[in-house]
Amino acid sequence: METTIKPKWSPSRVLLLILFSMFAVFALFPIITLTIASFKPAQELMRFGLNLNIDPELFSFKNYSYLFTSESLYLNWYKNSIVITAIYTVLCLLISSMVGYGLAVYQFRFRNTIFALVLITMMVPLEIIILPLYKLSISLQLINSMWGVILPFIAAPLPIFFFRQYASGLPKDFLDAARVDGCTEFGTFFRVIMPLMLPAFSSMAILQALFCWNNFLWPLIVLRTNEQLTIPIGLSTLITPYGNNFDMLISGAVLAIVPILIVFLFFQKYFIEGMTAGGVKG
Amino acid sequence: MANSSPEIVKSTELKGNTKRSSVLYSQQIAPYFFVFPFIVSFFIFFAYPVFSAITMSFQSVLPGQVEYIGLENYRDLWNPTFMKALWNSTKYTLFTLLVLIPVPLVLAVFLNSKVMVAKNFFRSTLFIPALTSVVVAGTVFRLAFGELEGSLMNTFVMWLGFEKQRWLGQSGLAMFTLVILAAWRWIGVNLLYFMAGLQSIPRELYESADIDGASTWNKFSRITIPLLKPISIYVFTISIYGGYSMFTESYMLWSGNRSPNDIGLTIVGYLYRNGLEQNNLGLGSAVGIALLLITFVITIGQLKLFGMFRKEE
């Protein structure tokens, strides 16, 4: 009970702390070893494997500076990833917020049918339609273009679901007030509803951007030439049956996590809200 | 509906005669504009591909030459390689379920307890692996579970007194590596789900249980577990979907789908190999439909099972 005064370091608290520290080490260990390895020459890695040894004499920024030379396409991939993530996130949020709002606020004939379709798209794994989608992208000339990566997924079911939940929780008075003031239905959405849904936008923006930044299978299929690749696909091409370009792979992988980690440190709350969005219906 | 005063009618009925002329003000038409992008995207990028996957699975698809071959693709699936892929995916799904449901559930209960300190720190730290892409995670695990004596896992097992292992070269150890990789990336996410579930359980239930003198175990098994059922079903379902459609992890661990003896081949790996690498879209589509059926049957079966439990109570 709240009233009993517990000693500051009760045995159960110490045990829990030890347990969670072990899990925290398990979580951070791979990222820390990767970071250490990124400062060592790749031959070291090939000879001794991934380990925690820190030898100041071997430490250098060589792997990183190589990423920025003209021989490597890493900067190109980085730019592609940023552009694709930005465009995808903006379009996806705009569309899914409109659809979610439409489904939440209006009474219309096909409302339940359309919502059922949203749920169905959520339930079918993407891997199943990947071959026909690939064929379709060839006929639509979307292969090897960033639009091929972006377009098929901008009406994403999860954000639609999330915005629908959020919009149905908004007080109706705002809508009435806007309409009485002579706003069109779209004016109401853009001027009144969008600002009200700002927290929902933040959560979904972070979640969708993370998804897009790390997305692998579909871009792997759509993007063909080296210049067009995103970071994950580009990095995966460095591993080949004929030999691996580890110096570039590891430093490139570390730099790919950095922006996400920074965003995560500042906007943790939105990550957590976005992540649990799918499960809140229970 | 039309001419009553706007103050008393509900918002959905608020459409005076004066505004009916303009499309922009119509509450009858507006919703269709709002949902229009989804409809378009649904038909082009979802319904059509699903339909097309079903038809292609009954066809032999060669450039410029498509013919119906009935069930032949499905008959072709009856081969040792696909069975291996099916078995690998099934094992992977089962093992990930065994790890990724109980561990995060118990951690969430601990993290939610009053005794625990630094809750936010641990919650965030355990979540960090979920931020990495499979490519980054695959790279680390590939190296950490490398064959070399100095690789992390071999250093560890040799310190424990065992022989060094070829982690990615033997069936059992390869599965172990895949499951550890999944555990690393997803424990923090499932932990968040279970914590969200725990926070929705009313405090009063525990307080009245305390008054009745219930033990910690009783509170856990009689209050926490039953009330976490909805969120557990959700986590269970997404884990089954995730398990059966796993591919990129094995793609990264074995340089693009090429594991020795196919020890890391999954259903989607088989789909990728046949449909994209060997350009046999018919057979690849049949694999996709098989995967769809498997996930559907399991999900429905599992929902039935949980539903039956509910009737018993």
Side-chain angles (χ1 to χ4, degrees), chain A residues 15 18 65 78 98 140 170 176 195 212:
Chain A
L15 277 178
I18 293 172
S65 58
Y78 219 94
M98 284 172 68
L140 294 177
L170 294 174
D176 295 343
C212 188

Coordinates of all heavy atoms in Angstrom, one line a residue, chain A residues 15 18 65 78 98 140 170 176 195 212:
Chain A
L15 N 17.2 -6.4 -7.0 CA 17.1 -7.5 -8.0 C 16.5 -7.0 -9.3 O 17.0 -7.3 -10.4 CB 16.2 -8.6 -7.4 CG 16.8 -9.5 -6.5 CD1 15.8 -10.5 -5.9 CD2 18.0 -10.3 -7.2
I18 N 19.1 -5.1 -11.2 CA 20.1 -5.9 -11.8 C 19.5 -6.5 -13.1 O 20.1 -6.5 -14.2 CB 20.6 -7.0 -10.8 CG1 21.3 -6.4 -9.7 CG2 21.4 -8.1 -11.6 CD1 21.7 -7.3 -8.6
S65 N 35.9 8.9 -43.3 CA 36.3 9.8 -44.4 C 36.1 9.1 -45.7 O 35.8 9.8 -46.7 CB 37.7 10.3 -44.1 OG 38.6 9.2 -44.1
Y78 N 22.4 8.5 -48.9 CA 21.9 9.3 -47.8 C 20.9 10.3 -48.2 O 19.8 10.5 -47.7 CB 23.1 10.0 -47.0 CG 22.9 10.0 -45.5 CD1 23.5 9.0 -44.8 CD2 22.2 11.0 -44.9 CE1 23.4 9.0 -43.4 CE2 22.1 11.0 -43.5 CZ 22.7 10.0 -42.8 OH 22.5 10.0 -41.4
M98 N -6.6 12.9 -43.9 CA -7.9 13.2 -44.6 C -8.9 12.0 -44.5 O -10.0 12.1 -44.2 CB -7.6 13.6 -46.0 CG -7.1 15.0 -46.1 SD -6.6 15.4 -47.8 CE -8.2 15.4 -48.6
L140 N 3.7 0.5 -64.8 CA 3.5 1.9 -64.5 C 4.8 2.7 -64.6 O 4.8 3.9 -64.3 CB 2.9 2.1 -63.1 CG 1.5 1.5 -62.9 CD1 1.1 1.7 -61.4 CD2 0.5 2.2 -63.8
L170 N -12.4 14.2 -31.1 CA -12.4 15.7 -31.1 C -13.9 16.2 -30.8 O -14.8 15.6 -31.3 CB -12.0 16.2 -32.4 CG -10.5 16.0 -32.8 CD1 -10.2 16.5 -34.2 CD2 -9.6 16.7 -31.8
D176 N -18.9 22.6 -35.8 CA -20.1 23.4 -35.9 C -19.7 24.9 -36.0 O -20.2 25.6 -36.9 CB -21.0 23.2 -34.7 CG -21.6 21.8 -34.8 OD1 -21.5 21.1 -35.8 OD2 -22.0 21.3 -33.7
P195 N -4.8 21.7 -37.1 CA -4.1 22.1 -35.9 C -4.5 21.4 -34.6 O -3.6 21.1 -33.8 CB -4.5 23.6 -35.8 CG -5.0 24.0 -37.1 CD -5.5 22.8 -37.8
C212 N 9.9 4.3 -43.0 CA 10.4 4.6 -44.4 C 12.0 4.6 -44.4 O 12.6 4.0 -45.3 CB 9.9 5.9 -44.9 SG 10.2 6.2 -46.6

